[in-house]
């Protein structure tokens, strides 16, 4: 009797075993051993790196759009310190090696002070302003795009002036990579922080989402009736039907964006100045390229002319790489190629 019971239960046990080994209807089996078949995992992210800082939603947004806003990232106290240092530099109370003080084309001949300086560029040797580039909360996000070894390679404090009516306070649509002889572009990112509330009335940033997936386009000076500020190159060949997104931001908000995204800013239609501070970062694994024969060659010539005049170097040969070296400074990790 016991033997008969075992015989009857054998098919039942075999059925249970087979149900474990064979998938039910509607499911497709996949090999689990690498010896059976190699498995290739598709690359889900190109523009961001794996870490626990960005959420999957934030990563996907940047991947799709080329920019990402992080709210309230920089404290009011830091912003006020940057503002005070800006005033000191404009008043020549503080001198900074290598800094470029820029003015709007409509007031270029006026004496420099905080009411007519439109931009401080290359402030990496201002220890106070350079603190922005080393803020831990900024670098935490930068590392998501560049990796752990980070160089600060272009810095600006922008003081967009009230427009005089000639619309010169506008910044034409452009790609930041036009100004940089660094590659690969995907390991470069800009951090741009609003130092006050910015919106369409005082000239907030405007972006063309998704254009970071394209190529570097040819840039020229736009043909604007009121004139164009020095080095404000713009793209002439882009799809004007592409949607534009304006980026209103509160004080301390920070936008991170890819160097190929097409962006610019409108004119400042208020009576006050619109301030922002920014830094472009690159992985120190990035490398220099020779821009001769590329769309960036026109920029190299213009920069070379400026450098020769500024440093009395008539007849000297200057390339874009030479002018960029002084702008790079290690902010985290190990210095490599830059």
């Amino acid at each position: 009797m016991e033997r008969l019971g075992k015989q009857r239960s054998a098919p039942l046990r075999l059925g249970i075993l087979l149900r474990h080994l064979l998938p039910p209807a509607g499911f497709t089996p996949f090999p689990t051993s690498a010896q059976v078949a190699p498995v290739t995992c598709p690359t889900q992210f190109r523009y961001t790196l794996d870490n626990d800082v960005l959420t999957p939603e934030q990563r996907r947004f940047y991947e799709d759009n080329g920019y990402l806003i992080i709210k309230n990232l920089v404290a009011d106290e830091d912003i006020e310190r940057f503002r005070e240092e800006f005033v000191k530099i404009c008043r020549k109370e503080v001198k900074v090696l290598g800094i470029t003080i820029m003015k709007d084309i409509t007031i270029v001949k006026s004496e420099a002070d905080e009411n007519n300086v439109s931009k401080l560029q290359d402030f990496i040797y201002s220890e106070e302003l350079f603190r922005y580039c080393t803020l831990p909360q900024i670098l935490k996000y930068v590392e998501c795009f560049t990796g752990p070894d980070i160089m600060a390679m272009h810095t600006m404090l922008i003081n967009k002036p009230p427009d005089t009516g000639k619309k010169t306070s506008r910044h034409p649509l452009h790609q930041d990579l036009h100004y940089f002889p660094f590659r690969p572009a995907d390991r470069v990112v800009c951090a741009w922080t609003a130092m006050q509330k910015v919106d369409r009335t005082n000239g907030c940033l405007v972006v063309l989402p998704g254009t970071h997936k394209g190529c570097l386009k040819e840039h020229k000076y736009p043909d604007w009736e009121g004139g164009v500020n020095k080095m404000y190159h713009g793209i002439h060949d882009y799809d004007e039907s592409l949607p534009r997104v304006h980026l209103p931001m509160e004080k301390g908000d920070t936008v991170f964006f890819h160097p190929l995204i097409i962006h610019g800013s409108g004119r400042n239609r208020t009576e006050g100045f619109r301030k922002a501070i920014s830094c472009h970062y690159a992985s120190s694994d990035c490398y220099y390229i020779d821009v001769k024969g590329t769309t960036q060659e026109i920029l190299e010539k213009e920069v070379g002319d400026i450098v020769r005049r500024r440093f009395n170097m008539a007849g000297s040969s200057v390339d874009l790489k030479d002018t960029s070296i002084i702008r790079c400074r290690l902010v985290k990790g190990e210095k490599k190629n830059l």
Side-chain angles (χ1 to χ4, degrees):
M1 192 72 178
E2 181 180 354
R3 182 178 179 182
L4 182 59
K6 290 182 178 180
Q7 288 176 342
R8 289 177 177 174
S9 64
L12 179 62
R13 291 199 303 272
L14 179 59
I16 294 172
L17 180 61
L18 288 174
R19 282 195 295 272
H20 282 293
L21 295 176
L22 298 177
F27 288 84
T28 302
F30 290 93
T32 58
S33 170
Q35 295 177 346
V36 176
V39 178
T40 302
C41 297
T43 302
Q44 185 179 8
F45 298 107
R46 168 180 172 180
Y47 304 103
T48 57
L49 302 173
D50 292 337
N51 56 51
D52 59 357
V53 176
L54 297 180
T55 67
E57 292 77 18
Q58 288 173 324
R59 290 189 72 178
R60 176 52 56 196
F61 186 90
Y62 187 89
E63 294 281 333
D64 292 341
N65 296 283
Y67 72 96
L68 179 67
I69 295 177
I70 304 298
K71 304 292 290 183
N72 196 29
L73 191 61
V74 179
D76 287 356
E77 178 184 354
D78 286 319
I79 289 175
E80 291 311 308
R81 287 178 59 176
F82 301 147
R83 187 188 300 271
E84 290 171 6
E85 189 70 4
F86 168 78
V87 171
K88 291 178 182 178
I89 293 173
C90 291
R91 293 177 178 175
K92 300 181 180 179
E93 296 173 10
V94 174
K95 293 185 178 180
V96 179
L97 176 67
I99 200 168
T100 299
I101 299 176
M102 303 176 70
K103 293 183 251 183
D104 190 86
I105 190 173
T106 59
I107 53 174
V108 69
K109 294 183 179 180
S110 59
E111 184 68 21
D113 63 41
E114 65 270 25
N115 292 318
N116 55 41
V117 170
S118 61
K119 185 186 297 184
L120 298 180
Q121 189 163 294
D122 301 330
F123 58 66
I124 66 170
Y125 295 115
S126 164
E127 291 307 314
E128 182 58 45
L129 293 182
F130 192 72
R131 279 198 320 105
Y132 170 78
C133 306
T134 63
L135 290 175
Q137 66 269 37
I138 294 282
L139 294 179
K140 178 179 73 171
Y141 283 97
V142 169
E143 191 169 343
C144 301
F145 310 103
T146 64
D149 300 317
I150 307 170
M151 299 289 289
M153 53 86 175
H154 185 60
T155 50
M156 294 186 295
L157 195 154
I158 305 154
N159 189 45
K160 184 189 279 284
D163 199 89
T164 61
K166 295 186 176 182
K167 301 181 180 179
T168 56
S169 65
R170 294 176 294 173
H171 200 301
L173 291 175
H174 64 284
Q175 296 165 298
D176 286 342
L177 191 66
H178 170 68
Y179 296 95
F180 307 142
F182 308 125
R183 300 295 187 275
D186 293 346
R187 298 285 77 86
V188 177
V189 71
C190 178
W192 191 101
T193 298
M195 295 178 65
Q196 63 193 85
K197 180 176 181 176
V198 298
D199 53 30
R200 296 185 67 169
T201 62
N202 62 5
C204 65
L205 291 178
V206 58
V207 299
L208 277 59
T211 51
H212 66 299
K213 300 176 184 178
C215 61
L216 180 60
K217 296 183 176 295
E218 183 179 5
H219 289 61
K220 299 177 181 177
Y221 280 110
D223 186 17
W224 286 353
E225 183 178 350
V228 186
N229 284 304
K230 197 71 174 174
M231 303 295 289
Y232 276 35
H233 297 173
I235 298 174
H236 279 222
D237 177 25
Y238 68 94
D239 185 353
E240 295 187 5
S241 69
L242 291 172
R244 301 185 183 189
V245 175
H246 292 83
L247 304 182
M249 297 164 64
E250 299 293 332
K251 182 179 180 181
D253 292 353
T254 301
V255 59
F256 297 89
F257 57 88
H258 191 280
L260 278 174
I261 192 171
I262 297 175
H263 68 288
S265 63
R267 59 192 177 102
N268 182 357
R269 292 177 282 124
T270 70
E271 296 181 358
F273 291 80
R274 189 272 276 157
K275 289 182 174 63
I277 188 169
S278 71
C279 177
H280 278 84
Y281 300 87
S283 165
S284 57
D285 284 327
C286 285
Y287 53 88
Y288 284 97
I289 64 165
D290 185 353
V291 301
K292 290 179 176 59
T294 73
T295 61
Q296 292 178 265
E297 189 170 8
I298 184 176
L299 176 71
E300 181 176 65
K301 181 180 184 304
E302 184 171 359
V303 171
D305 291 342
I306 293 172
V307 170
R308 281 187 286 270
R309 287 197 303 269
R310 183 174 180 181
F311 297 103
N312 195 24
M313 298 169 59
S316 300
S317 175
V318 179
D319 63 30
L320 197 57
K321 175 179 175 180
D322 293 333
T323 64
S324 300
I325 291 175
I326 62 171
R327 300 186 298 183
C328 296
R329 187 170 173 182
L330 183 71
V331 290
K332 186 176 182 181
E334 178 183 354
K335 183 176 181 179
K336 297 177 183 177
N337 294 325
L338 283 182

